[in-house]
Amino acid sequence: MIHLYAFTDAGAPLPAATGIGGGELAAVLIEDVAAVVGPLQGPAMERDDAIAHGLVVEALREVADAVLPVRFAERFADRSALADAVTGRLDTLRERLARVRGCVEFGVRMVAEREPAKQQPTAHDGSAYMRERLASLARVNVVAAELHRPLTRCARASVVTPGADHAAAYLVRNEERAAFERALAGFVSAHPAATVLCTGPWAPYSFAEAT
């Protein structure tokens, strides 16, 4: 049984890391695409195994120019079974590798913008409270858009997750990372009341779709 971690370009170096259970990593070449795999004993469902999977993907990102992570617990009986499953999807994998080549992912989330005490709702009835609440949410949405616009200009692609926390993932070229970080710092400086959380760089999980 082998465990699949990610896809990369044929000829890309493998990281100096071990996989689940300390297994040695290997590249299964399928034409010009390499599937990074390791041996697996038993079901890959434990928390430690999931952590090991993620660490391999991030270690691969450090040494390879293009990485397509796959979801945890993708297993195959042997290399032949893996090749059979992948061969019909090579064109798609090539396109997705080209999309993420030379890029990393950053995650950004704006929790909320704290309003001064004088602007907090002082409703005397339900209708007034709802009007003030909706106006507050509208202001937050405007601020979130101000955060998203400059970051998008520094990214090859972005994915915004609907919701109150205004979370987004950005696919950023390595040469644009400094500009992305400056844009983020500029927003934080201009909006000290906003709580902005940024994580990364990561392998491009949100843009891989390689499962």
Side-chain angles (χ1 to χ4, degrees), residues 112-114 187-195:
E113 186 167 72
R114 299 186 301 273
F187 174 87
V188 171
S189 177
H191 298 273
T195 300

Side-chain angles (χ1 to χ4, degrees), residues 172-191:
V172 181
R173 299 175 183 86
N174 287 324
E175 59 268 26
E176 293 292 333
R177 283 175 57 175
F180 181 89
E181 291 167 357
R182 285 195 301 270
L184 182 62
F187 174 87
V188 171
S189 177
H191 298 273

Side-chain angles (χ1 to χ4, degrees), residues 16-209:
T18 56
I20 294 171
E24 185 176 354
L25 302 180
V28 178
L29 299 184
I30 309 163
E31 297 186 18
D32 56 341
V33 174
V36 178
V37 303
L40 181 66
Q41 300 293 330
M45 297 298 292
E46 299 297 326
R47 179 176 179 272
D48 289 347
D49 292 349
I51 293 173
H53 175 95
L55 290 175
V56 167
V57 173
E58 290 305 318
L60 181 62
R61 177 187 64 80
E62 293 285 348
V63 298
D65 194 42
V67 177
L68 287 178
V70 303
R71 65 189 176 190
F72 177 63
E74 288 290 324
R75 295 163 289 166
F76 298 87
D78 52 32
R79 295 187 177 200
S80 177
L82 170 61
D84 289 343
V86 170
T87 298
R89 303 177 57 231
L90 282 174
D91 286 344
T92 299
L93 290 172
R94 291 184 186 109
E95 291 173 1
R96 291 175 179 167
L97 282 168
R99 184 189 189 199
V100 302
R101 186 168 289 113
C103 296
V104 293
E105 177 176 332
F106 284 94
V108 177
R109 181 163 65 95
M110 192 186 80
V111 178
E113 186 167 72
R114 299 186 301 273
E115 297 185 344
K118 66 180 182 180
Q119 295 183 10
Q120 294 296 320
T122 56
H124 300 293
D125 58 68
S127 296
Y129 173 80
M130 286 306 299
R131 286 194 298 271
E132 292 187 34
R133 178 60 178 160
L134 290 173
S136 176
L137 291 174
R139 287 191 293 270
V140 171
N141 288 336
V142 169
V143 173
E146 291 180 13
L147 169 63
H148 181 62
R149 279 193 297 271
L151 298 184
T152 300
R153 288 194 290 269
C154 300
R156 174 175 289 179
S158 61
V159 176
V160 179
T161 303
D165 59 357
H166 301 281
Y170 300 90
L171 184 66
V172 181
R173 299 175 183 86
N174 287 324
E175 59 268 26
E176 293 292 333
R177 283 175 57 175
F180 181 89
E181 291 167 357
R182 285 195 301 270
L184 182 62
F187 174 87
V188 171
S189 177
H191 298 273
T195 300
V196 179
L197 306 176
C198 179
T199 60
W202 306 110
Y205 286 92
S206 301
F207 306 90
E209 300 178 356

